[in-house]
Amino acid sequence: EKEAQKQRKKIAAERKRQKEEGRKRSSTPDAVDGRKHIEIQTEQYLEEPTDKVEENAVDTQTDPMMDRPPTPLFVPFKTGRDTETQIDDGDLFDFDFEVEPILEVLVGKTVEQAMLAAMQAAELEAMRQ
């Protein structure tokens, strides 16, 4: 690692020296008194100029996978008390038997109202004549 770090420092120093020489070779005239030349970036995205590249060393180690039995199905605990209801034949609602009287009333009232409406219409017709 020490050799690699020395090598990186040597490369960085060489680049810095070449950069300084590049500035000296510039064809730009010297700055007027009271002013100085500066380098600017003209790329679309600005970047911070650095000679050193950031490096991070990270190590990870995972635990060995251990065989384990399959997870059992979740069965919730019972709450409350268990009760039962016994239903014998004939205890529940018998639709055919229970609905017949209701239908008789509905049909009877409907027929009665229809007959009253027809009688009123006939009476009004008789008055007009």
Side-chain angles (χ1 to χ4, degrees), residues 2-51:
K2 290 181 181 180
E3 290 180 24
Q5 194 173 16
K6 286 179 184 178
Q7 185 69 15
R8 280 189 234 120
K9 284 183 181 180
K10 186 177 179 182
I11 292 171
E14 180 67 23
R15 286 183 185 164
K16 189 173 184 180
R17 186 184 61 73
Q18 288 176 355
K19 193 174 188 182
E20 291 296 326
E21 285 181 9
R23 286 184 189 164
K24 291 178 185 175
R25 290 188 215 144
S26 176
S27 61
T28 306
D30 291 335
V32 180
D33 290 336
R35 296 186 181 201
K36 63 179 180 176
H37 289 299
I38 60 170
E39 290 185 20
I40 61 168
Q41 292 183 2
T42 57
E43 290 86 17
Q44 184 176 6
Y45 300 103
L46 297 179
E47 297 177 3
E48 182 178 352
T50 58
D51 289 333

mmCIF file of all heavy atoms in Angstrom, residues 2-51:
data_model
loop_
_atom_site.group_PDB
_atom_site.id
_atom_site.type_symbol
_atom_site.label_atom_id
_atom_site.label_comp_id
_atom_site.label_asym_id
_atom_site.label_seq_id
_atom_site.Cartn_x
_atom_site.Cartn_y
_atom_site.Cartn_z
ATOM 1 N N LYS A 2 1.979 1.204 0.747
ATOM 2 C CA LYS A 2 2.849 2.383 0.820
ATOM 3 C C LYS A 2 3.440 2.697 -0.547
ATOM 4 O O LYS A 2 3.560 3.857 -0.931
ATOM 5 C CB LYS A 2 3.958 2.149 1.842
ATOM 6 C CG LYS A 2 3.454 2.138 3.271
ATOM 7 C CD LYS A 2 4.574 1.931 4.256
ATOM 8 C CE LYS A 2 4.027 1.890 5.682
ATOM 9 N NZ LYS A 2 5.089 1.689 6.662
ATOM 10 N N GLU A 3 3.791 1.647 -1.275
ATOM 11 C CA GLU A 3 4.335 1.857 -2.616
ATOM 12 C C GLU A 3 3.280 2.462 -3.543
ATOM 13 O O GLU A 3 3.576 3.347 -4.337
ATOM 14 C CB GLU A 3 4.850 0.538 -3.190
ATOM 15 C CG GLU A 3 6.095 0.016 -2.511
ATOM 16 C CD GLU A 3 6.567 -1.293 -3.122
ATOM 17 O OE1 GLU A 3 6.242 -1.546 -4.300
ATOM 18 O OE2 GLU A 3 7.246 -2.047 -2.425
ATOM 19 N N ALA A 4 2.053 1.972 -3.422
ATOM 20 C CA ALA A 4 0.967 2.499 -4.257
ATOM 21 C C ALA A 4 0.709 3.960 -3.917
ATOM 22 O O ALA A 4 0.464 4.785 -4.804
ATOM 23 C CB ALA A 4 -0.294 1.668 -4.058
ATOM 24 N N GLN A 5 0.794 4.295 -2.625
ATOM 25 C CA GLN A 5 0.555 5.685 -2.220
ATOM 26 C C GLN A 5 1.689 6.581 -2.742
ATOM 27 O O GLN A 5 1.442 7.687 -3.219
ATOM 28 C CB GLN A 5 0.467 5.743 -0.702
ATOM 29 C CG GLN A 5 -0.107 7.036 -0.178
ATOM 30 C CD GLN A 5 -0.347 6.982 1.326
ATOM 31 O OE1 GLN A 5 0.174 6.114 2.004
ATOM 32 N NE2 GLN A 5 -1.130 7.916 1.813
ATOM 33 N N LYS A 6 2.921 6.099 -2.689
ATOM 34 C CA LYS A 6 4.053 6.864 -3.229
ATOM 35 C C LYS A 6 3.885 7.076 -4.729
ATOM 36 O O LYS A 6 4.147 8.153 -5.250
ATOM 37 C CB LYS A 6 5.375 6.129 -2.959
ATOM 38 C CG LYS A 6 5.834 6.195 -1.530
ATOM 39 C CD LYS A 6 7.132 5.436 -1.348
ATOM 40 C CE LYS A 6 7.568 5.392 0.102
ATOM 41 N NZ LYS A 6 8.800 4.632 0.301
ATOM 42 N N GLN A 7 3.424 6.015 -5.402
ATOM 43 C CA GLN A 7 3.210 6.092 -6.858
ATOM 44 C C GLN A 7 2.147 7.146 -7.179
ATOM 45 O O GLN A 7 2.299 7.925 -8.114
ATOM 46 C CB GLN A 7 2.793 4.709 -7.400
ATOM 47 C CG GLN A 7 2.661 4.640 -8.897
ATOM 48 C CD GLN A 7 3.995 4.752 -9.622
ATOM 49 O OE1 GLN A 7 5.055 4.602 -9.027
ATOM 50 N NE2 GLN A 7 3.932 5.053 -10.902
ATOM 51 N N ARG A 8 1.053 7.153 -6.399
ATOM 52 C CA ARG A 8 -0.006 8.147 -6.630
ATOM 53 C C ARG A 8 0.502 9.570 -6.418
ATOM 54 O O ARG A 8 0.174 10.483 -7.170
ATOM 55 C CB ARG A 8 -1.188 7.864 -5.692
ATOM 56 C CG ARG A 8 -2.079 6.767 -6.193
ATOM 57 C CD ARG A 8 -3.346 6.680 -5.354
ATOM 58 N NE ARG A 8 -3.446 5.314 -4.883
ATOM 59 C CZ ARG A 8 -3.475 4.899 -3.627
ATOM 60 N NH1 ARG A 8 -3.476 5.771 -2.656
ATOM 61 N NH2 ARG A 8 -3.533 3.629 -3.319
ATOM 62 N N LYS A 9 1.296 9.750 -5.370
ATOM 63 C CA LYS A 9 1.862 11.081 -5.108
ATOM 64 C C LYS A 9 2.780 11.515 -6.251
ATOM 65 O O LYS A 9 2.765 12.666 -6.668
ATOM 66 C CB LYS A 9 2.639 11.077 -3.787
ATOM 67 C CG LYS A 9 1.757 11.109 -2.570
ATOM 68 C CD LYS A 9 2.592 11.188 -1.307
ATOM 69 C CE LYS A 9 1.714 11.196 -0.061
ATOM 70 N NZ LYS A 9 2.510 11.267 1.165
ATOM 71 N N LYS A 10 3.553 10.582 -6.754
ATOM 72 C CA LYS A 10 4.473 10.885 -7.852
ATOM 73 C C LYS A 10 3.700 11.285 -9.105
ATOM 74 O O LYS A 10 4.038 12.254 -9.779
ATOM 75 C CB LYS A 10 5.350 9.652 -8.137
ATOM 76 C CG LYS A 10 6.433 9.875 -9.143
ATOM 77 C CD LYS A 10 7.290 8.627 -9.290
ATOM 78 C CE LYS A 10 8.384 8.811 -10.308
ATOM 79 N NZ LYS A 10 9.178 7.596 -10.483
ATOM 80 N N ILE A 11 2.586 10.541 -9.397
ATOM 81 C CA ILE A 11 1.756 10.853 -10.569
ATOM 82 C C ILE A 11 1.094 12.215 -10.402
ATOM 83 O O ILE A 11 1.045 13.018 -11.336
ATOM 84 C CB ILE A 11 0.707 9.738 -10.793
ATOM 85 C CG1 ILE A 11 1.402 8.449 -11.230
ATOM 86 C CG2 ILE A 11 -0.330 10.168 -11.824
ATOM 87 C CD1 ILE A 11 0.477 7.241 -11.273
ATOM 88 N N ALA A 12 0.605 12.507 -9.190
ATOM 89 C CA ALA A 12 -0.040 13.793 -8.932
ATOM 90 C C ALA A 12 0.951 14.941 -9.091
ATOM 91 O O ALA A 12 0.625 15.992 -9.649
ATOM 92 C CB ALA A 12 -0.653 13.800 -7.533
ATOM 93 N N ALA A 13 2.186 14.754 -8.609
ATOM 94 C CA ALA A 13 3.206 15.794 -8.738
ATOM 95 C C ALA A 13 3.543 16.023 -10.209
ATOM 96 O O ALA A 13 3.716 17.176 -10.644
ATOM 97 C CB ALA A 13 4.455 15.394 -7.949
ATOM 98 N N GLU A 14 3.625 14.944 -10.984
ATOM 99 C CA GLU A 14 3.930 15.065 -12.424
ATOM 100 C C GLU A 14 2.826 15.834 -13.141
ATOM 101 O O GLU A 14 3.087 16.699 -13.982
ATOM 102 C CB GLU A 14 4.112 13.670 -13.025
ATOM 103 C CG GLU A 14 4.439 13.654 -14.506
ATOM 104 C CD GLU A 14 5.809 14.246 -14.819
ATOM 105 O OE1 GLU A 14 6.680 14.268 -13.932
ATOM 106 O OE2 GLU A 14 5.990 14.714 -15.958
ATOM 107 N N ARG A 15 1.570 15.515 -12.812
ATOM 108 C CA ARG A 15 0.442 16.228 -13.433
ATOM 109 C C ARG A 15 0.463 17.709 -13.065
ATOM 110 O O ARG A 15 0.196 18.562 -13.903
ATOM 111 C CB ARG A 15 -0.882 15.608 -12.983
ATOM 112 C CG ARG A 15 -1.186 14.289 -13.617
ATOM 113 C CD ARG A 15 -2.523 13.783 -13.180
ATOM 114 N NE ARG A 15 -2.781 12.441 -13.706
ATOM 115 C CZ ARG A 15 -3.700 11.628 -13.269
ATOM 116 N NH1 ARG A 15 -4.484 11.991 -12.263
ATOM 117 N NH2 ARG A 15 -3.863 10.434 -13.801
ATOM 118 N N LYS A 16 0.770 17.984 -11.806
ATOM 119 C CA LYS A 16 0.823 19.386 -11.362
ATOM 120 C C LYS A 16 1.923 20.135 -12.114
ATOM 121 O O LYS A 16 1.741 21.266 -12.553
ATOM 122 C CB LYS A 16 1.067 19.418 -9.859
ATOM 123 C CG LYS A 16 0.932 20.787 -9.255
ATOM 124 C CD LYS A 16 1.020 20.715 -7.743
ATOM 125 C CE LYS A 16 0.787 22.080 -7.135
ATOM 126 N NZ LYS A 16 0.856 22.047 -5.678
ATOM 127 N N ARG A 17 3.094 19.489 -12.290
ATOM 128 C CA ARG A 17 4.201 20.114 -13.009
ATOM 129 C C ARG A 17 3.813 20.385 -14.469
ATOM 130 O O ARG A 17 4.077 21.457 -15.005
ATOM 131 C CB ARG A 17 5.439 19.208 -12.960
ATOM 132 C CG ARG A 17 6.697 19.835 -13.565
ATOM 133 C CD ARG A 17 7.855 18.859 -13.578
ATOM 134 N NE ARG A 17 7.616 17.661 -14.365
ATOM 135 C CZ ARG A 17 7.601 17.622 -15.711
ATOM 136 N NH1 ARG A 17 7.819 18.698 -16.404
ATOM 137 N NH2 ARG A 17 7.391 16.489 -16.336
ATOM 138 N N GLN A 18 3.139 19.395 -15.106
ATOM 139 C CA GLN A 18 2.708 19.577 -16.494
ATOM 140 C C GLN A 18 1.669 20.706 -16.603
ATOM 141 O O GLN A 18 1.677 21.464 -17.576
ATOM 142 C CB GLN A 18 2.124 18.274 -17.033
ATOM 143 C CG GLN A 18 3.148 17.197 -17.295
ATOM 144 C CD GLN A 18 2.510 15.880 -17.728
ATOM 145 O OE1 GLN A 18 1.295 15.758 -17.736
ATOM 146 N NE2 GLN A 18 3.350 14.904 -18.083
ATOM 147 N N LYS A 19 0.823 20.807 -15.609
ATOM 148 C CA LYS A 19 -0.202 21.850 -15.604
ATOM 149 C C LYS A 19 0.459 23.232 -15.522
ATOM 150 O O LYS A 19 0.068 24.166 -16.217
ATOM 151 C CB LYS A 19 -1.151 21.627 -14.423
ATOM 152 C CG LYS A 19 -2.414 22.423 -14.470
ATOM 153 C CD LYS A 19 -3.335 21.996 -13.331
ATOM 154 C CE LYS A 19 -4.678 22.624 -13.447
ATOM 155 N NZ LYS A 19 -5.555 22.243 -12.329
ATOM 156 N N GLU A 20 1.482 23.358 -14.666
ATOM 157 C CA GLU A 20 2.203 24.626 -14.524
ATOM 158 C C GLU A 20 2.918 24.987 -15.830
ATOM 159 O O GLU A 20 2.910 26.136 -16.255
ATOM 160 C CB GLU A 20 3.219 24.539 -13.368
ATOM 161 C CG GLU A 20 2.590 24.456 -11.992
ATOM 162 C CD GLU A 20 1.813 25.701 -11.627
ATOM 163 O OE1 GLU A 20 2.205 26.802 -12.028
ATOM 164 O OE2 GLU A 20 0.781 25.554 -10.932
ATOM 165 N N GLU A 21 3.518 23.981 -16.482
ATOM 166 C CA GLU A 21 4.179 24.233 -17.765
ATOM 167 C C GLU A 21 3.173 24.676 -18.816
ATOM 168 O O GLU A 21 3.463 25.533 -19.649
ATOM 169 C CB GLU A 21 4.926 22.982 -18.239
ATOM 170 C CG GLU A 21 6.204 22.709 -17.508
ATOM 171 C CD GLU A 21 6.906 21.465 -18.044
ATOM 172 O OE1 GLU A 21 6.458 20.935 -19.089
ATOM 173 O OE2 GLU A 21 7.886 21.039 -17.428
ATOM 174 N N GLY A 22 1.992 24.073 -18.771
ATOM 175 C CA GLY A 22 0.936 24.440 -19.717
ATOM 176 C C GLY A 22 0.527 25.893 -19.536
ATOM 177 O O GLY A 22 0.243 26.598 -20.502
ATOM 178 N N ARG A 23 0.510 26.352 -18.330
ATOM 179 C CA ARG A 23 0.164 27.760 -18.070
ATOM 180 C C ARG A 23 1.253 28.687 -18.615
ATOM 181 O O ARG A 23 0.976 29.755 -19.130
ATOM 182 C CB ARG A 23 -0.003 27.993 -16.570
ATOM 183 C CG ARG A 23 -1.259 27.419 -16.006
ATOM 184 C CD ARG A 23 -1.395 27.779 -14.544
ATOM 185 N NE ARG A 23 -2.497 27.039 -13.948
ATOM 186 C CZ ARG A 23 -2.701 26.884 -12.669
ATOM 187 N NH1 ARG A 23 -1.853 27.437 -11.813
ATOM 188 N NH2 ARG A 23 -3.712 26.200 -12.213
ATOM 189 N N LYS A 24 2.511 28.266 -18.466
ATOM 190 C CA LYS A 24 3.629 29.088 -18.942
ATOM 191 C C LYS A 24 3.617 29.193 -20.459
ATOM 192 O O LYS A 24 4.002 30.210 -21.023
ATOM 193 C CB LYS A 24 4.962 28.508 -18.466
ATOM 194 C CG LYS A 24 5.173 28.637 -16.982
ATOM 195 C CD LYS A 24 6.477 28.006 -16.564
ATOM 196 C CE LYS A 24 6.629 28.039 -15.056
ATOM 197 N NZ LYS A 24 7.820 27.332 -14.600
ATOM 198 N N ARG A 25 3.191 28.124 -21.163
ATOM 199 C CA ARG A 25 3.181 28.103 -22.616
ATOM 200 C C ARG A 25 1.987 28.856 -23.194
ATOM 201 O O ARG A 25 1.851 28.950 -24.388
ATOM 202 C CB ARG A 25 3.120 26.668 -23.114
ATOM 203 C CG ARG A 25 4.375 25.902 -22.888
ATOM 204 C CD ARG A 25 4.288 24.569 -23.582
ATOM 205 N NE ARG A 25 4.978 23.592 -22.761
ATOM 206 C CZ ARG A 25 4.631 22.352 -22.599
ATOM 207 N NH1 ARG A 25 3.573 21.881 -23.206
ATOM 208 N NH2 ARG A 25 5.310 21.544 -21.831
ATOM 209 N N SER A 26 1.096 29.336 -22.356
ATOM 210 C CA SER A 26 -0.122 29.986 -22.822
ATOM 211 C C SER A 26 0.208 31.168 -23.724
ATOM 212 O O SER A 26 1.141 31.920 -23.478
ATOM 213 C CB SER A 26 -0.943 30.455 -21.618
ATOM 214 O OG SER A 26 -2.061 31.168 -22.057
ATOM 215 N N SER A 27 -0.600 31.318 -24.775
ATOM 216 C CA SER A 27 -0.368 32.417 -25.704
ATOM 217 C C SER A 27 -1.111 33.681 -25.276
ATOM 218 O O SER A 27 -1.105 34.677 -25.976
ATOM 219 C CB SER A 27 -0.813 32.000 -27.113
ATOM 220 O OG SER A 27 -2.199 31.692 -27.097
ATOM 221 N N THR A 28 -1.752 33.615 -24.130
ATOM 222 C CA THR A 28 -2.483 34.780 -23.643
ATOM 223 C C THR A 28 -1.483 35.800 -23.125
ATOM 224 O O THR A 28 -0.546 35.458 -22.402
ATOM 225 C CB THR A 28 -3.427 34.355 -22.494
ATOM 226 O OG1 THR A 28 -4.251 33.298 -22.941
ATOM 227 C CG2 THR A 28 -4.276 35.505 -22.031
ATOM 228 N N PRO A 29 -1.697 37.048 -23.472
ATOM 229 C CA PRO A 29 -0.753 38.069 -22.970
ATOM 230 C C PRO A 29 -0.877 38.229 -21.457
ATOM 231 O O PRO A 29 -1.868 37.857 -20.858
ATOM 232 C CB PRO A 29 -1.185 39.336 -23.692
ATOM 233 C CG PRO A 29 -2.548 39.074 -24.211
ATOM 234 C CD PRO A 29 -2.718 37.603 -24.327
ATOM 235 N N ASP A 30 0.127 38.792 -20.860
ATOM 236 C CA ASP A 30 0.108 39.006 -19.420
ATOM 237 C C ASP A 30 -1.029 39.951 -19.054
ATOM 238 O O ASP A 30 -1.461 40.801 -19.855
ATOM 239 C CB ASP A 30 1.443 39.599 -18.950
ATOM 240 C CG ASP A 30 2.568 38.587 -19.077
ATOM 241 O OD1 ASP A 30 2.252 37.380 -19.043
ATOM 242 O OD2 ASP A 30 3.724 39.009 -19.201
ATOM 243 N N ALA A 31 -1.501 39.812 -17.801
ATOM 244 C CA ALA A 31 -2.627 40.627 -17.336
ATOM 245 C C ALA A 31 -2.195 42.084 -17.184
ATOM 246 O O ALA A 31 -1.035 42.392 -16.905
ATOM 247 C CB ALA A 31 -3.129 40.095 -16.003
ATOM 248 N N VAL A 32 -3.150 42.984 -17.386
ATOM 249 C CA VAL A 32 -2.908 44.416 -17.219
ATOM 250 C C VAL A 32 -2.685 44.689 -15.736
ATOM 251 O O VAL A 32 -3.196 43.968 -14.881
ATOM 252 C CB VAL A 32 -4.144 45.209 -17.747
ATOM 253 C CG1 VAL A 32 -3.950 46.693 -17.609
ATOM 254 C CG2 VAL A 32 -4.433 44.829 -19.180
ATOM 255 N N ASP A 33 -1.970 45.747 -15.410
ATOM 256 C CA ASP A 33 -1.708 46.077 -14.013
ATOM 257 C C ASP A 33 -3.027 46.214 -13.242
ATOM 258 O O ASP A 33 -3.971 46.857 -13.706
ATOM 259 C CB ASP A 33 -0.908 47.387 -13.899
ATOM 260 C CG ASP A 33 0.520 47.225 -14.385
ATOM 261 O OD1 ASP A 33 0.991 46.074 -14.363
ATOM 262 O OD2 ASP A 33 1.146 48.234 -14.765
ATOM 263 N N GLY A 34 -3.089 45.597 -12.069
ATOM 264 C CA GLY A 34 -4.282 45.667 -11.225
ATOM 265 C C GLY A 34 -5.273 44.546 -11.497
ATOM 266 O O GLY A 34 -6.290 44.434 -10.834
ATOM 267 N N ARG A 35 -4.983 43.720 -12.500
ATOM 268 C CA ARG A 35 -5.864 42.593 -12.823
ATOM 269 C C ARG A 35 -5.047 41.312 -12.883
ATOM 270 O O ARG A 35 -3.824 41.335 -12.983
ATOM 271 C CB ARG A 35 -6.561 42.823 -14.153
ATOM 272 C CG ARG A 35 -7.477 44.018 -14.127
ATOM 273 C CD ARG A 35 -8.243 44.111 -15.397
ATOM 274 N NE ARG A 35 -9.107 45.275 -15.384
ATOM 275 C CZ ARG A 35 -10.154 45.425 -16.145
ATOM 276 N NH1 ARG A 35 -10.474 44.484 -16.994
ATOM 277 N NH2 ARG A 35 -10.882 46.491 -16.077
ATOM 278 N N LYS A 36 -5.764 40.166 -12.845
ATOM 279 C CA LYS A 36 -5.067 38.887 -12.944
ATOM 280 C C LYS A 36 -5.922 37.916 -13.750
ATOM 281 O O LYS A 36 -7.152 38.032 -13.809
ATOM 282 C CB LYS A 36 -4.757 38.313 -11.569
ATOM 283 C CG LYS A 36 -5.975 37.978 -10.743
ATOM 284 C CD LYS A 36 -5.562 37.386 -9.409
ATOM 285 C CE LYS A 36 -6.813 37.050 -8.601
ATOM 286 N NZ LYS A 36 -6.491 36.397 -7.350
ATOM 287 N N HIS A 37 -5.271 36.963 -14.384
ATOM 288 C CA HIS A 37 -5.958 35.919 -15.147
ATOM 289 C C HIS A 37 -6.435 34.822 -14.189
ATOM 290 O O HIS A 37 -5.746 34.494 -13.233
ATOM 291 C CB HIS A 37 -5.027 35.301 -16.190
ATOM 292 C CG HIS A 37 -4.709 36.197 -17.332
ATOM 293 N ND1 HIS A 37 -5.662 36.688 -18.175
ATOM 294 C CD2 HIS A 37 -3.513 36.703 -17.771
ATOM 295 C CE1 HIS A 37 -5.098 37.448 -19.094
ATOM 296 N NE2 HIS A 37 -3.781 37.484 -18.865
ATOM 297 N N ILE A 38 -7.610 34.251 -14.483
ATOM 298 C CA ILE A 38 -8.099 33.104 -13.711
ATOM 299 C C ILE A 38 -8.614 32.061 -14.692
ATOM 300 O O ILE A 38 -9.017 32.390 -15.812
ATOM 301 C CB ILE A 38 -9.220 33.482 -12.712
ATOM 302 C CG1 ILE A 38 -10.430 34.086 -13.451
ATOM 303 C CG2 ILE A 38 -8.725 34.431 -11.656
ATOM 304 C CD1 ILE A 38 -11.643 34.260 -12.561
ATOM 305 N N GLU A 39 -8.589 30.790 -14.251
ATOM 306 C CA GLU A 39 -9.113 29.718 -15.087
ATOM 307 C C GLU A 39 -10.595 29.540 -14.779
ATOM 308 O O GLU A 39 -11.007 29.599 -13.627
ATOM 309 C CB GLU A 39 -8.387 28.411 -14.788
ATOM 310 C CG GLU A 39 -6.963 28.394 -15.267
ATOM 311 C CD GLU A 39 -6.324 27.042 -15.054
ATOM 312 O OE1 GLU A 39 -7.067 26.046 -14.908
ATOM 313 O OE2 GLU A 39 -5.102 26.994 -15.028
ATOM 314 N N ILE A 40 -11.389 29.363 -15.838
ATOM 315 C CA ILE A 40 -12.817 29.114 -15.645
ATOM 316 C C ILE A 40 -13.207 27.848 -16.397
ATOM 317 O O ILE A 40 -12.541 27.455 -17.356
ATOM 318 C CB ILE A 40 -13.693 30.305 -16.122
ATOM 319 C CG1 ILE A 40 -13.489 30.548 -17.613
ATOM 320 C CG2 ILE A 40 -13.404 31.543 -15.326
ATOM 321 C CD1 ILE A 40 -14.508 31.494 -18.196
ATOM 322 N N GLN A 41 -14.311 27.233 -15.939
ATOM 323 C CA GLN A 41 -14.816 26.042 -16.617
ATOM 324 C C GLN A 41 -15.921 26.469 -17.572
ATOM 325 O O GLN A 41 -16.763 27.280 -17.238
ATOM 326 C CB GLN A 41 -15.380 25.054 -15.594
ATOM 327 C CG GLN A 41 -14.331 24.456 -14.701
ATOM 328 C CD GLN A 41 -14.933 23.437 -13.748
ATOM 329 O OE1 GLN A 41 -16.120 23.155 -13.793
ATOM 330 N NE2 GLN A 41 -14.089 22.885 -12.900
ATOM 331 N N THR A 42 -15.881 25.893 -18.753
ATOM 332 C CA THR A 42 -16.903 26.239 -19.746
ATOM 333 C C THR A 42 -17.801 25.053 -20.075
ATOM 334 O O THR A 42 -18.640 25.139 -20.958
ATOM 335 C CB THR A 42 -16.231 26.736 -21.044
ATOM 336 O OG1 THR A 42 -15.350 25.723 -21.514
ATOM 337 C CG2 THR A 42 -15.484 28.027 -20.802
ATOM 338 N N GLU A 43 -17.637 23.931 -19.344
ATOM 339 C CA GLU A 43 -18.482 22.772 -19.572
ATOM 340 C C GLU A 43 -19.886 23.042 -19.049
ATOM 341 O O GLU A 43 -20.113 23.948 -18.271
ATOM 342 C CB GLU A 43 -17.911 21.520 -18.872
ATOM 343 C CG GLU A 43 -16.636 20.993 -19.501
ATOM 344 C CD GLU A 43 -15.409 21.701 -18.953
ATOM 345 O OE1 GLU A 43 -15.508 22.336 -17.892
ATOM 346 O OE2 GLU A 43 -14.361 21.618 -19.605
ATOM 347 N N GLN A 44 -20.836 22.202 -19.476
ATOM 348 C CA GLN A 44 -22.223 22.377 -19.058
ATOM 349 C C GLN A 44 -22.389 22.154 -17.555
ATOM 350 O O GLN A 44 -23.146 22.856 -16.900
ATOM 351 C CB GLN A 44 -23.122 21.403 -19.821
ATOM 352 C CG GLN A 44 -24.602 21.594 -19.509
ATOM 353 C CD GLN A 44 -25.486 20.678 -20.337
ATOM 354 O OE1 GLN A 44 -25.007 19.829 -21.058
ATOM 355 N NE2 GLN A 44 -26.781 20.854 -20.217
ATOM 356 N N TYR A 45 -21.665 21.169 -16.997
ATOM 357 C CA TYR A 45 -21.764 20.870 -15.573
ATOM 358 C C TYR A 45 -20.444 21.227 -14.910
ATOM 359 O O TYR A 45 -19.388 20.737 -15.312
ATOM 360 C CB TYR A 45 -22.078 19.382 -15.352
ATOM 361 C CG TYR A 45 -23.370 18.967 -15.987
ATOM 362 C CD1 TYR A 45 -23.382 18.261 -17.178
ATOM 363 C CD2 TYR A 45 -24.588 19.316 -15.417
ATOM 364 C CE1 TYR A 45 -24.577 17.888 -17.767
ATOM 365 C CE2 TYR A 45 -25.786 18.952 -16.002
ATOM 366 C CZ TYR A 45 -25.771 18.236 -17.177
ATOM 367 O OH TYR A 45 -26.957 17.885 -17.755
ATOM 368 N N LEU A 46 -20.491 22.073 -13.893
ATOM 369 C CA LEU A 46 -19.277 22.495 -13.202
ATOM 370 C C LEU A 46 -18.808 21.397 -12.262
ATOM 371 O O LEU A 46 -19.609 20.726 -11.616
ATOM 372 C CB LEU A 46 -19.533 23.782 -12.411
ATOM 373 C CG LEU A 46 -19.917 25.001 -13.248
ATOM 374 C CD1 LEU A 46 -20.171 26.185 -12.343
ATOM 375 C CD2 LEU A 46 -18.823 25.329 -14.239
ATOM 376 N N GLU A 47 -17.500 21.222 -12.194
ATOM 377 C CA GLU A 47 -16.904 20.238 -11.309
ATOM 378 C C GLU A 47 -15.799 20.903 -10.512
ATOM 379 O O GLU A 47 -15.127 21.804 -11.010
ATOM 380 C CB GLU A 47 -16.305 19.083 -12.106
ATOM 381 C CG GLU A 47 -17.319 18.297 -12.903
ATOM 382 C CD GLU A 47 -16.665 17.211 -13.728
ATOM 383 O OE1 GLU A 47 -15.432 17.049 -13.626
ATOM 384 O OE2 GLU A 47 -17.381 16.532 -14.466
ATOM 385 N N GLU A 48 -15.633 20.451 -9.291
ATOM 386 C CA GLU A 48 -14.558 20.984 -8.475
ATOM 387 C C GLU A 48 -13.245 20.361 -8.933
ATOM 388 O O GLU A 48 -13.090 19.144 -8.900
ATOM 389 C CB GLU A 48 -14.811 20.653 -7.003
ATOM 390 C CG GLU A 48 -13.760 21.229 -6.092
ATOM 391 C CD GLU A 48 -14.060 20.920 -4.641
ATOM 392 O OE1 GLU A 48 -15.145 20.408 -4.336
ATOM 393 O OE2 GLU A 48 -13.189 21.185 -3.813
ATOM 394 N N PRO A 49 -12.303 21.181 -9.397
ATOM 395 C CA PRO A 49 -11.039 20.610 -9.892
ATOM 396 C C PRO A 49 -10.171 20.131 -8.731
ATOM 397 O O PRO A 49 -9.883 20.870 -7.808
ATOM 398 C CB PRO A 49 -10.377 21.770 -10.632
ATOM 399 C CG PRO A 49 -10.986 22.994 -10.048
ATOM 400 C CD PRO A 49 -12.350 22.618 -9.559
ATOM 401 N N THR A 50 -9.768 18.876 -8.771
ATOM 402 C CA THR A 50 -8.886 18.313 -7.745
ATOM 403 C C THR A 50 -7.878 17.398 -8.421
ATOM 404 O O THR A 50 -8.149 16.813 -9.461
ATOM 405 C CB THR A 50 -9.679 17.485 -6.711
ATOM 406 O OG1 THR A 50 -10.372 16.445 -7.391
ATOM 407 C CG2 THR A 50 -10.669 18.338 -5.955
ATOM 408 N N ASP A 51 -6.714 17.294 -7.797
ATOM 409 C CA ASP A 51 -5.692 16.381 -8.296
ATOM 410 C C ASP A 51 -5.839 15.011 -7.660
ATOM 411 O O ASP A 51 -5.413 14.003 -8.207
ATOM 412 C CB ASP A 51 -4.291 16.927 -7.983
ATOM 413 C CG ASP A 51 -3.971 18.147 -8.845
ATOM 414 O OD1 ASP A 51 -4.548 18.238 -9.949
ATOM 415 O OD2 ASP A 51 -3.169 18.986 -8.415
#
